[in-house]
Amino acid sequence: MKDIPVRVAFEATDGYGNPVEISGRIINKKGNEHLTFATEHEGKGSFTYRAGMEEDRVEVIWNEKKFRFDLPEAKEQGFVCSVDNLSSPDSLLVTVQKNSRTPGNVLGMGVLSGGKLYHFCMLTVTRNRPVRFRLDKQALPAGVAQAVWFDHSGSIIADRLMFIGQPDTLSVAVQSDKSSYQPYDSIRLDFEVKDAKGRPIQAPLSVSVRDGWQEVENRHSLLTDLLLMSDIKGYVHQPSWYFESDDLSHRRALDDLLMVQGWRRYDWERMAGRSPFELKYMPEQGIELHGKVVSMVRSKPRANVEVTAFLASPGDDPESKNQKFFDLFTTDSLGRFSFVSQIEGKWNLILAATEKGKKKDYRIVLDRVFAPSPRMYPLAEMQVRVAGEEEGSSLSVSEPADTLETEEDYKLLLKAYEDSLKRSGINEKIHHLDEVVIKARKRDKAHDVYQARTKSIAYYDVASEMDDIQDRDIYIGNDIHDLMMNMNPSFYPESAPSGREYLLYKGRLVLFVINYERTFHEEMDFNKYRNLSLESIKSVYISEDLGTMCRYADPMFTPMNIDKIYGCVVLIETLPEEEVSVKGAKGVRKTWLEGYSKVKEFYLPDYRILPREGDYRRTLYWNPELMPDKEGRATIQFYNNSRCRRPRVSVNVLDADGRIGVFEH
């Protein structure tokens, strides 16, 4: 706005989104300089500017080149609302001012944090001089707060994000039993958690111990994600830097970050009643399943149909194979139904539709089609930095810093290996193997199968694909051609003069191969795939590789002929006969229901006897809920992999009072 000084924050990036350091100045049309500015941290900075009646321009210098562009046009009337969060550690200085061309008005101001209103006041701004007052920071929780100014109709005039205070953190200490470790060595770590006054804290620890070689630098923690990044939009290179110190430079950089990349999580227009509030999703009560019953051909909703739901836990789960649930409900006027269950893991689900006690040939469609759109990542966010490597470092990428290289270490490894063999009952140092003569190399079918799979361009789990097709309200019956066309749009049918239908792929025939057995160009063998029931097909691979097609096509064709005839090979893998499910009767839908994920214990190998193969685990230990004792202490013990010497430890803790503790080493 003209004639009133305002604080302007800016960000400078290159064409790939990486922050760049620039300097610049604001000049008028005659080239006279009003002020200068420069970036302060990660391409961000700020300056105070007063717009006059003349149009000004910005001149920026980057890489010894000058760039000029016009400033946005300043408004003739309005209010300038600002918050000084840097001058005082205990209070916020709020300033509201209008220019001489703006009529006086009564404004409302609210200060929110986490969606909760902490301050509210009414401001009468009638004179052409600043209205200033202070707000106590102590009344606001640590984290991002939002100041909002609005008029009598609830319309927002201005808003501002600021970071309040420093969080009350916990102290986390970690002590290892050794300074460095041998391969497969036992590792013991002791933890101790205390508050700022040295009192022990009993709160669950999230612990991760990793092999630090070539590890991507960790830029986030519980502290940064809960208090800062949840209110930031876009990419932040090193969010943990803003919490390294509470000096003026760090607080100013944090203020610039929130001015440039702040994200308004809460819709003030809705909170002020200017836009209606619509509750889209109710609080979750369990695993909810919604669906509808429709007619077989025209998909017309069927009302007042009784739907029977039968849930049974998988038979291969010894802990819950006897658990079963049974329920009965009736569809509404739109043919819809729903039910809620409390299950863990993947359960078998059978739904049956009946009307007046008789089974009806209806289709049961479930609302399970959910595929979020892919997220586009800017190039700057995809760039990573290996932890511990500085610019100009002579460390070779091929030489891990944690790997044992010396001959002494190698002898220690051999000695430990001999000890482990003795513990297993093997005392001899030399073992003689019988001599053998290799006469021929046996063709390995498993290798052929692996090669065919790896050269495929698409893979489909048929059971899941059939469920997805049915949930899109598409009927395919038992026709494999319909299945292929619904899974992949490159397939389409074509009828021969004899009336027989063939499936084409990109204008050429499709070679169907069952269980990796060669398909001969004979009537019965070539069409054998059409006799398969869809329930018997486990998975489908699609390959355009000529070598794969030559391996499974009729040997009477040359590779040139195969390339002209076939567009792809469809590799069908079938289930064992005893695993083929029986197709549901009319009005019966056999499917599955995914429940809550089961809690799995992290795999920890026992290396009291050394393994025969190397262990290259990147994560050596992980526990999301390690509970200390009443003294705030906890101990873990596990085995090293075959190369790490100094593992990296990460600990995050959040207690009942919201205090956060972070340890990275």
Side-chain angles (χ1 to χ4, degrees), residues 547-559:
T548 304
M549 288 190 283
C550 292
R551 182 177 296 117
Y552 297 109
D554 197 316
M556 72 176 183
F557 293 129
T558 64

Side-chain angles (χ1 to χ4, degrees), residues 156-173:
I156 293 179
I157 294 176
D159 69 339
R160 172 79 154 81
L161 296 183
M162 54 269 182
F163 196 89
I164 303 300
Q166 285 292 313
D168 186 8
T169 57
L170 302 174
S171 171
V172 181

Side-chain angles (χ1 to χ4, degrees), residues 180-210:
S180 63
Y181 295 92
Q182 303 297 326
Y184 309 114
D185 205 352
S186 175
I187 299 176
R188 172 175 169 164
L189 299 176
D190 296 315
F191 303 88
E192 188 173 15
V193 186
K194 295 181 179 180
D195 61 11
K197 296 182 179 180
R199 294 173 297 194
I201 298 297
Q202 189 176 21
L205 308 177
S206 176
V207 181
S208 171
V209 184
R210 306 175 305 280

Side-chain angles (χ1 to χ4, degrees), residues 7 9 46 81-86 92-93 109-112 144-149 156-163 251-252 254-260 262 264:
R7 184 174 171 216
S46 61
C81 307
S82 65
V83 176
D84 182 0
N85 188 28
L86 304 176
L92 301 170
L93 177 60
M109 178 186 172
V111 179
L112 304 92
V144 176
Q146 179 183 6
V148 182
W149 293 267
I156 293 179
I157 294 176
D159 69 339
R160 172 79 154 81
L161 296 183
M162 54 269 182
F163 196 89
R251 286 189 282 117
R252 184 184 297 277
L254 183 54
D255 207 42
D256 293 340
L257 172 68
L258 287 172
M259 289 183 69
V260 173
R264 278 63 175 170

